[in-house]
């Protein structure tokens, strides 16, 4: 056997053992100093964990506008948003079980937000019973969603789960020409994250 070959084997073995030891050290530091909740539990827009602490009874996160998540699909968008969906997210006890969108009468000058929004799906800092904000102010500040769909929790995230035939005939959202276009974009997000 060539003397140079044995020397290369020893060097490779040393490099391999050093890599394993480094991996064990990094893993140990991550275990001791890290926070596994970042991997296991979803977070709301303020960084609070759903299903823990003050949100212990609210294990799911609801995205106000999943269509914004679908639009933020380029690498640069993801980097600028910190790999987060660029819409308000709140912790909820249960995901929505029905189709709902803000009706036109909600935009009337004397419309009361508490008559249209559900507190459970709004930012917890907003008290619908006491607010002096208009419906439009609430939407502009993304304090409540302007629509939601039947959803099921998947890994603690409320994600749309419905059949095409269950969509109400008037469920067309602003910016979309028809119900079919609205549903295609929502389903497109769910199928691949890029919209239809």
């Amino acid at each position: 056997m060539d003397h140079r070959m044995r020397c290369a084997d020893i060097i490779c073995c040393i490099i391999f053992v050093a890599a394993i030891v480094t991996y064990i050290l990094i893993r140990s530091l991550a275990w001791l100093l890290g926070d596994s909740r970042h991997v296991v539990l979803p977070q709301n827009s303020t960084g609070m964990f759903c299903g823990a602490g003050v949100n212990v009874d609210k294990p799911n996160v609801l995205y106000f506008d999943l269509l914004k998540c679908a639009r933020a699909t380029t690498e640069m968008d993801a980097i600028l948003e910190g790999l987060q969906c660029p819409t308000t997210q709140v912790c909820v006890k249960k995901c929505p079980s029905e189709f709902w969108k803000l009706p036109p009468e909600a935009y009337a000058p004397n419309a009361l937000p508490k008559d249209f929004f559900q507190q459970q799906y709004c930012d917890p800092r907003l008290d619908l019973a006491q607010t002096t904000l208009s419906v439009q102010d609430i939407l502009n500040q993304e304090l409540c969603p302007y629509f939601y769909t039947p959803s099921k929790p998947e890994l603690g995230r409320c994600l749309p789960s419905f059949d095409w035939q269950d969509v109400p005939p008037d469920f067309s959202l602003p910016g979309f020409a028809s119900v079919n276009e609205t549903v295609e974009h929502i389903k497109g997000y769910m199928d691949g994250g890029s919209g239809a």
Side-chain angles (χ1 to χ4, degrees), residues 3-188:
H3 176 67
R4 289 178 294 177
M5 181 65 116
R6 274 187 272 154
C7 187
D9 288 346
I10 292 172
I11 291 171
C12 287
C13 187
I14 291 170
I15 291 171
F16 178 72
V17 169
I20 296 294
V21 169
T22 302
Y23 169 75
I24 291 171
L25 286 172
I26 291 172
R27 185 170 178 256
S28 298
L29 286 173
W31 181 262
L32 294 172
L33 304 175
D35 188 350
S36 61
R37 295 180 302 172
H38 287 281
V39 178
V40 179
L41 299 174
Q43 291 176 280
N44 66 14
S45 296
T46 62
M48 302 287 291
F49 292 102
C50 299
V54 297
N55 293 317
V56 71
D57 62 335
K58 299 176 181 179
N60 305 303
V61 68
L62 174 69
Y63 297 90
F64 278 13
D65 187 355
L66 274 174
L67 299 175
K68 286 185 179 179
C69 302
R71 290 182 209 121
T73 56
T74 67
E75 287 180 36
M76 186 55 83
D77 286 340
I79 290 168
L80 292 174
E81 293 297 334
L83 300 175
Q84 291 287 329
C85 176
T87 188
T88 301
Q89 301 153 40
V90 295
C91 299
V92 294
K93 288 181 184 183
K94 292 185 178 182
C95 297
S97 60
E98 62 189 3
F99 286 93
W100 176 84
K101 70 174 186 168
L102 193 62
E105 56 270 18
Y107 297 97
N110 21 340
L112 298 175
K114 68 178 182 163
D115 295 336
F116 300 99
F117 296 112
Q118 289 191 38
Q119 184 70 54
Q120 65 182 337
Y121 299 134
C122 292
D123 188 311
R125 297 171 291 186
L126 174 69
D127 181 358
L128 287 172
Q130 302 295 322
T131 189
T132 58
L133 296 173
S134 69
V135 167
Q136 190 61 55
D137 291 335
I138 289 172
L139 293 177
N140 291 344
Q141 296 177 39
E142 288 194 33
L143 297 173
C144 294
Y146 70 95
F147 80 95
Y148 47 79
T149 65
S151 303
K152 290 185 181 172
E154 293 185 31
L155 298 173
R157 286 146 182 88
C158 296
L159 299 177
S161 178
F162 57 86
D163 292 321
W164 288 86
Q165 65 269 17
D166 296 334
V167 180
D170 65 341
F171 195 73
S172 180
L173 299 176
F176 298 105
S178 66
V179 174
N180 286 343
E181 188 178 345
T182 298
V183 172
E184 283 177 22
H185 275 76
I186 294 171
K187 286 286 197 177

